[in-house]
Short mmCIF file of all heavy atoms in Angstrom, two decimals:
data_model
loop_
_atom_site.label_atom_id
_atom_site.label_comp_id
_atom_site.label_asym_id
_atom_site.label_seq_id
_atom_site.Cartn_x
_atom_site.Cartn_y
_atom_site.Cartn_z
N ALA D 45 -94.70 178.51 -35.83
CA ALA D 45 -96.04 178.99 -35.68
C ALA D 45 -96.18 179.88 -34.42
O ALA D 45 -95.53 179.67 -33.49
CB ALA D 45 -97.04 177.84 -35.66
N VAL D 46 -97.17 180.79 -34.49
CA VAL D 46 -97.52 181.54 -33.20
C VAL D 46 -98.60 180.75 -32.54
O VAL D 46 -99.58 180.35 -33.09
CB VAL D 46 -98.10 182.97 -33.69
CG1 VAL D 46 -98.61 183.70 -32.44
CG2 VAL D 46 -97.05 183.77 -34.36
N VAL D 47 -98.31 180.48 -31.24
CA VAL D 47 -99.20 179.61 -30.47
C VAL D 47 -99.80 180.41 -29.30
O VAL D 47 -99.16 181.16 -28.59
CB VAL D 47 -98.35 178.51 -29.87
CG1 VAL D 47 -99.20 177.55 -28.92
CG2 VAL D 47 -97.71 177.64 -30.96
N HIS D 48 -101.11 180.20 -29.04
CA HIS D 48 -101.81 180.87 -28.04
C HIS D 48 -101.35 180.38 -26.65
O HIS D 48 -101.16 179.22 -26.40
CB HIS D 48 -103.35 180.63 -28.13
CG HIS D 48 -104.17 181.58 -27.32
ND1 HIS D 48 -104.38 181.42 -25.99
CD2 HIS D 48 -104.85 182.73 -27.69
CE1 HIS D 48 -105.08 182.42 -25.56
NE2 HIS D 48 -105.41 183.22 -26.52
N PRO D 49 -101.14 181.35 -25.66
CA PRO D 49 -100.59 180.93 -24.32
C PRO D 49 -101.51 180.13 -23.43
O PRO D 49 -101.11 179.73 -22.41
CB PRO D 49 -100.18 182.28 -23.78
CG PRO D 49 -101.03 183.26 -24.43
CD PRO D 49 -101.19 182.79 -25.82
N SER D 50 -102.73 179.95 -23.94
CA SER D 50 -103.62 179.10 -23.11
C SER D 50 -103.29 177.61 -23.28
O SER D 50 -103.71 176.79 -22.49
CB SER D 50 -105.10 179.30 -23.57
OG SER D 50 -105.29 178.92 -24.87
N LEU D 51 -102.42 177.33 -24.26
CA LEU D 51 -102.00 175.96 -24.47
C LEU D 51 -100.70 175.68 -23.70
O LEU D 51 -99.74 176.42 -23.81
CB LEU D 51 -101.67 175.69 -25.95
CG LEU D 51 -102.87 175.90 -26.89
CD1 LEU D 51 -102.41 175.73 -28.41
CD2 LEU D 51 -104.02 174.98 -26.57
N ASN D 52 -100.72 174.63 -22.84
CA ASN D 52 -99.54 174.25 -22.10
C ASN D 52 -98.67 173.37 -23.04
O ASN D 52 -98.81 172.14 -22.98
CB ASN D 52 -99.95 173.55 -20.85
CG ASN D 52 -100.42 174.48 -19.81
OD1 ASN D 52 -99.98 175.65 -19.70
ND2 ASN D 52 -101.40 174.03 -19.04
N ALA D 53 -97.89 174.02 -23.90
CA ALA D 53 -97.14 173.21 -24.89
C ALA D 53 -95.85 173.94 -25.13
O ALA D 53 -95.65 175.02 -24.80
CB ALA D 53 -97.97 173.08 -26.20
N LEU D 54 -94.94 173.15 -25.83
CA LEU D 54 -93.67 173.72 -26.33
C LEU D 54 -93.60 173.57 -27.82
O LEU D 54 -94.25 172.65 -28.39
CB LEU D 54 -92.48 172.97 -25.65
CG LEU D 54 -92.39 173.10 -24.18
CD1 LEU D 54 -91.24 172.25 -23.65
CD2 LEU D 54 -92.29 174.48 -23.61
N GLN D 55 -92.81 174.39 -28.45
CA GLN D 55 -92.57 174.23 -29.95
C GLN D 55 -91.12 174.09 -30.23
O GLN D 55 -90.32 174.79 -29.69
CB GLN D 55 -93.17 175.56 -30.64
CG GLN D 55 -93.07 175.39 -32.13
CD GLN D 55 -93.82 176.51 -32.81
OE1 GLN D 55 -93.91 176.50 -34.01
NE2 GLN D 55 -94.40 177.42 -32.09
N LEU D 56 -90.85 173.10 -31.08
CA LEU D 56 -89.51 172.83 -31.51
C LEU D 56 -89.31 173.34 -32.94
O LEU D 56 -90.09 172.96 -33.80
CB LEU D 56 -89.20 171.32 -31.45
CG LEU D 56 -87.90 170.83 -32.13
CD1 LEU D 56 -86.67 171.44 -31.47
CD2 LEU D 56 -87.78 169.33 -31.99
N THR D 57 -88.30 174.16 -33.18
CA THR D 57 -88.04 174.65 -34.59
C THR D 57 -86.59 174.53 -34.87
O THR D 57 -85.79 174.45 -33.94
CB THR D 57 -88.53 176.13 -34.74
OG1 THR D 57 -88.10 176.91 -33.66
CG2 THR D 57 -90.02 176.24 -34.86
N GLU D 58 -86.23 174.54 -36.19
CA GLU D 58 -84.98 174.31 -36.63
C GLU D 58 -84.23 175.53 -37.24
O GLU D 58 -84.92 176.37 -37.93
CB GLU D 58 -84.90 173.21 -37.73
CG GLU D 58 -85.56 171.90 -37.27
CD GLU D 58 -85.60 170.92 -38.38
OE1 GLU D 58 -85.42 171.28 -39.53
OE2 GLU D 58 -85.94 169.66 -38.03
N PHE D 59 -82.99 175.71 -37.03
CA PHE D 59 -82.16 176.75 -37.69
C PHE D 59 -81.52 175.97 -38.84
O PHE D 59 -80.59 175.19 -38.66
CB PHE D 59 -81.04 177.27 -36.81
CG PHE D 59 -81.50 178.16 -35.67
CD1 PHE D 59 -81.76 177.67 -34.42
CD2 PHE D 59 -81.79 179.51 -35.85
CE1 PHE D 59 -82.08 178.44 -33.32
CE2 PHE D 59 -82.16 180.33 -34.80
CZ PHE D 59 -82.34 179.79 -33.55
N ALA D 60 -81.95 176.26 -40.06
CA ALA D 60 -81.28 175.83 -41.33
C ALA D 60 -80.89 174.36 -41.21
O ALA D 60 -79.65 174.00 -41.27
CB ALA D 60 -80.03 176.71 -41.53
N SER D 61 -81.82 173.51 -41.21
CA SER D 61 -81.60 172.00 -41.21
C SER D 61 -81.02 171.57 -42.56
O SER D 61 -81.31 172.14 -43.58
CB SER D 61 -82.86 171.32 -40.86
OG SER D 61 -83.84 171.52 -41.83
N LEU D 62 -80.13 170.57 -42.48
CA LEU D 62 -79.53 170.06 -43.69
C LEU D 62 -80.37 168.85 -44.20
O LEU D 62 -80.51 167.86 -43.48
CB LEU D 62 -78.10 169.50 -43.32
CG LEU D 62 -77.29 168.91 -44.40
CD1 LEU D 62 -77.08 169.87 -45.57
CD2 LEU D 62 -75.96 168.43 -43.86
N ASN D 63 -81.03 169.01 -45.30
CA ASN D 63 -81.88 167.95 -45.85
C ASN D 63 -81.49 167.66 -47.29
O ASN D 63 -81.47 168.48 -48.20
CB ASN D 63 -83.33 168.42 -45.83
CG ASN D 63 -83.94 168.32 -44.41
OD1 ASN D 63 -84.23 167.23 -43.99
ND2 ASN D 63 -84.09 169.37 -43.70
N ASN D 64 -81.14 166.39 -47.57
CA ASN D 64 -80.80 165.88 -48.82
C ASN D 64 -81.15 164.40 -48.92
O ASN D 64 -81.83 163.89 -48.00
CB ASN D 64 -79.34 166.22 -49.23
CG ASN D 64 -78.39 165.76 -48.10
OD1 ASN D 64 -78.54 164.60 -47.57
ND2 ASN D 64 -77.38 166.55 -47.81
N ARG D 65 -80.60 163.79 -49.92
CA ARG D 65 -80.96 162.28 -50.03
C ARG D 65 -80.21 161.43 -49.00
O ARG D 65 -80.57 160.22 -48.90
CB ARG D 65 -80.62 161.78 -51.44
CG ARG D 65 -79.24 161.79 -51.83
CD ARG D 65 -79.06 161.38 -53.28
NE ARG D 65 -77.63 161.44 -53.71
CZ ARG D 65 -76.75 160.41 -53.50
NH1 ARG D 65 -77.12 159.34 -52.86
NH2 ARG D 65 -75.51 160.54 -53.86
N VAL D 66 -79.27 162.00 -48.34
CA VAL D 66 -78.51 161.20 -47.28
C VAL D 66 -78.98 161.62 -45.88
O VAL D 66 -79.22 160.74 -45.08
CB VAL D 66 -76.96 161.58 -47.42
CG1 VAL D 66 -76.22 160.80 -46.32
CG2 VAL D 66 -76.47 161.21 -48.81
N PHE D 67 -79.17 162.89 -45.56
CA PHE D 67 -79.56 163.36 -44.27
C PHE D 67 -80.98 163.97 -44.36
O PHE D 67 -81.27 164.71 -45.19
CB PHE D 67 -78.60 164.35 -43.72
CG PHE D 67 -77.11 163.88 -43.67
CD1 PHE D 67 -76.18 164.60 -44.34
CD2 PHE D 67 -76.90 162.69 -43.02
CE1 PHE D 67 -74.93 164.09 -44.37
CE2 PHE D 67 -75.53 162.28 -43.00
CZ PHE D 67 -74.57 163.02 -43.68
N ARG D 68 -81.81 163.59 -43.41
CA ARG D 68 -83.18 164.07 -43.34
C ARG D 68 -83.64 164.40 -41.96
O ARG D 68 -83.24 163.69 -40.99
CB ARG D 68 -84.22 162.99 -43.85
CG ARG D 68 -83.99 162.57 -45.28
CD ARG D 68 -84.16 163.66 -46.32
NE ARG D 68 -85.48 164.28 -46.29
CZ ARG D 68 -85.77 165.34 -46.98
NH1 ARG D 68 -84.88 166.00 -47.67
NH2 ARG D 68 -87.07 165.80 -46.82
N THR D 69 -84.31 165.55 -41.79
CA THR D 69 -85.08 165.85 -40.53
C THR D 69 -86.45 166.18 -40.87
O THR D 69 -86.85 166.25 -42.07
CB THR D 69 -84.40 167.07 -39.87
OG1 THR D 69 -84.77 168.26 -40.66
CG2 THR D 69 -82.98 166.99 -39.65
N LEU D 70 -87.34 166.29 -39.88
CA LEU D 70 -88.75 166.67 -40.22
C LEU D 70 -88.83 167.94 -40.90
O LEU D 70 -89.68 168.13 -41.79
CB LEU D 70 -89.50 166.66 -38.86
CG LEU D 70 -91.03 167.00 -38.95
CD1 LEU D 70 -91.71 165.85 -39.72
CD2 LEU D 70 -91.64 167.17 -37.60
N SER D 71 -87.94 168.86 -40.60
CA SER D 71 -87.93 170.20 -41.29
C SER D 71 -89.22 170.95 -41.21
O SER D 71 -89.61 171.58 -42.18
CB SER D 71 -87.49 170.00 -42.78
OG SER D 71 -87.18 171.25 -43.40
N SER D 72 -89.85 170.83 -40.06
CA SER D 72 -91.10 171.48 -39.81
C SER D 72 -91.27 171.82 -38.29
O SER D 72 -90.79 170.99 -37.49
CB SER D 72 -92.26 170.61 -40.30
OG SER D 72 -93.51 171.09 -39.94
N PRO D 73 -91.93 172.90 -37.93
CA PRO D 73 -92.13 173.15 -36.55
C PRO D 73 -92.94 172.03 -35.87
O PRO D 73 -93.76 171.39 -36.58
CB PRO D 73 -92.99 174.47 -36.56
CG PRO D 73 -92.64 175.07 -37.80
CD PRO D 73 -92.46 173.98 -38.81
N LEU D 74 -92.65 171.73 -34.62
CA LEU D 74 -93.27 170.60 -33.95
C LEU D 74 -93.84 171.04 -32.56
O LEU D 74 -93.12 171.71 -31.88
CB LEU D 74 -92.21 169.54 -33.69
CG LEU D 74 -92.70 168.19 -33.20
CD1 LEU D 74 -93.53 167.49 -34.20
CD2 LEU D 74 -91.46 167.30 -32.83
N ILE D 75 -95.10 170.80 -32.34
CA ILE D 75 -95.73 171.10 -31.07
C ILE D 75 -95.71 169.97 -30.17
O ILE D 75 -96.23 168.87 -30.54
CB ILE D 75 -97.20 171.73 -31.29
CG1 ILE D 75 -97.19 172.84 -32.34
CG2 ILE D 75 -97.77 172.13 -29.94
CD1 ILE D 75 -96.53 174.02 -31.93
N VAL D 76 -95.24 170.13 -28.94
CA VAL D 76 -95.16 169.02 -28.00
C VAL D 76 -96.02 169.40 -26.69
O VAL D 76 -95.81 170.48 -26.23
CB VAL D 76 -93.76 168.71 -27.57
CG1 VAL D 76 -93.61 167.70 -26.47
CG2 VAL D 76 -92.92 168.25 -28.80
N THR D 77 -96.80 168.48 -26.21
CA THR D 77 -97.67 168.78 -25.13
C THR D 77 -96.91 168.80 -23.78
O THR D 77 -95.74 168.34 -23.72
CB THR D 77 -98.84 167.80 -25.03
OG1 THR D 77 -98.25 166.50 -24.61
CG2 THR D 77 -99.54 167.66 -26.36
N GLN D 78 -97.56 169.24 -22.75
CA GLN D 78 -97.01 169.31 -21.39
C GLN D 78 -96.72 167.94 -20.85
O GLN D 78 -95.92 167.89 -19.88
CB GLN D 78 -97.96 169.94 -20.45
CG GLN D 78 -99.30 169.27 -20.23
CD GLN D 78 -100.19 170.08 -19.36
OE1 GLN D 78 -99.78 170.97 -18.53
NE2 GLN D 78 -101.50 169.76 -19.38
N ASP D 79 -97.15 166.83 -21.40
CA ASP D 79 -96.93 165.54 -20.85
C ASP D 79 -95.65 164.95 -21.41
O ASP D 79 -95.23 163.84 -20.95
CB ASP D 79 -98.03 164.58 -21.21
CG ASP D 79 -99.45 165.03 -20.71
OD1 ASP D 79 -99.39 165.55 -19.55
OD2 ASP D 79 -100.36 165.00 -21.40
N GLU D 80 -95.02 165.64 -22.33
CA GLU D 80 -93.82 164.98 -22.98
C GLU D 80 -92.63 165.94 -22.77
O GLU D 80 -92.68 167.13 -22.57
CB GLU D 80 -94.04 164.80 -24.43
CG GLU D 80 -95.07 163.72 -24.69
CD GLU D 80 -95.24 163.37 -26.17
OE1 GLU D 80 -95.60 164.26 -26.91
OE2 GLU D 80 -95.00 162.17 -26.44
N THR D 81 -91.45 165.32 -22.88
CA THR D 81 -90.12 166.00 -22.73
C THR D 81 -89.40 165.94 -23.99
O THR D 81 -89.40 164.88 -24.69
CB THR D 81 -89.29 165.40 -21.60
OG1 THR D 81 -89.98 165.47 -20.34
CG2 THR D 81 -87.92 166.09 -21.44
N ILE D 82 -88.73 167.04 -24.42
CA ILE D 82 -87.92 167.06 -25.58
C ILE D 82 -86.37 166.96 -25.10
O ILE D 82 -86.04 167.75 -24.09
CB ILE D 82 -88.04 168.34 -26.44
CG1 ILE D 82 -89.46 168.50 -26.92
CG2 ILE D 82 -87.08 168.40 -27.56
CD1 ILE D 82 -89.76 169.82 -27.51
N THR D 83 -85.61 166.14 -25.58
CA THR D 83 -84.21 166.01 -25.19
C THR D 83 -83.26 166.04 -26.33
O THR D 83 -83.54 165.44 -27.45
CB THR D 83 -83.98 164.67 -24.47
OG1 THR D 83 -84.89 164.50 -23.43
CG2 THR D 83 -82.55 164.53 -24.00
N PHE D 84 -82.22 166.95 -26.22
CA PHE D 84 -81.12 166.98 -27.19
C PHE D 84 -79.84 166.30 -26.65
O PHE D 84 -79.44 166.61 -25.53
CB PHE D 84 -80.77 168.43 -27.50
CG PHE D 84 -81.89 169.23 -28.11
CD1 PHE D 84 -81.89 170.67 -28.00
CD2 PHE D 84 -82.99 168.63 -28.74
CE1 PHE D 84 -82.88 171.38 -28.49
CE2 PHE D 84 -84.00 169.38 -29.23
CZ PHE D 84 -84.01 170.82 -29.14
N ARG D 85 -79.25 165.47 -27.46
CA ARG D 85 -77.91 164.89 -27.12
C ARG D 85 -76.96 165.21 -28.24
O ARG D 85 -76.94 164.49 -29.27
CB ARG D 85 -78.02 163.42 -26.84
CG ARG D 85 -78.81 163.09 -25.57
CD ARG D 85 -79.02 161.59 -25.35
NE ARG D 85 -79.92 161.40 -24.29
CZ ARG D 85 -80.56 160.26 -24.00
NH1 ARG D 85 -80.41 159.21 -24.80
NH2 ARG D 85 -81.35 160.17 -22.89
#
């Protein structure tokens, strides 16, 4: 989504997620506020 810069937020989006009956992700853009941290491992 296009987000207005007055919002202190981050957006998480996916490149070609793998979704089937075995593996699932949210498969949708996600907006996270300034109070939270996103971590990848």
Side-chain angles (χ1 to χ4, degrees):
V46 176
V47 178
H48 195 281
S50 64
L51 299 177
N52 286 325
L54 300 177
Q55 185 168 183
L56 170 63
T57 47
E58 303 174 350
F59 291 95
S61 59
L62 180 61
N63 282 285
N64 51 42
R65 64 183 180 85
V66 178
F67 304 122
R68 300 297 300 172
T69 68
L70 182 64
S71 191
S72 173
L74 187 68
I75 307 294
V76 175
T77 69
Q78 62 182 342
D79 301 321
E80 295 187 295
T81 301
I82 302 171
T83 302
F84 299 159
R85 292 177 184 161

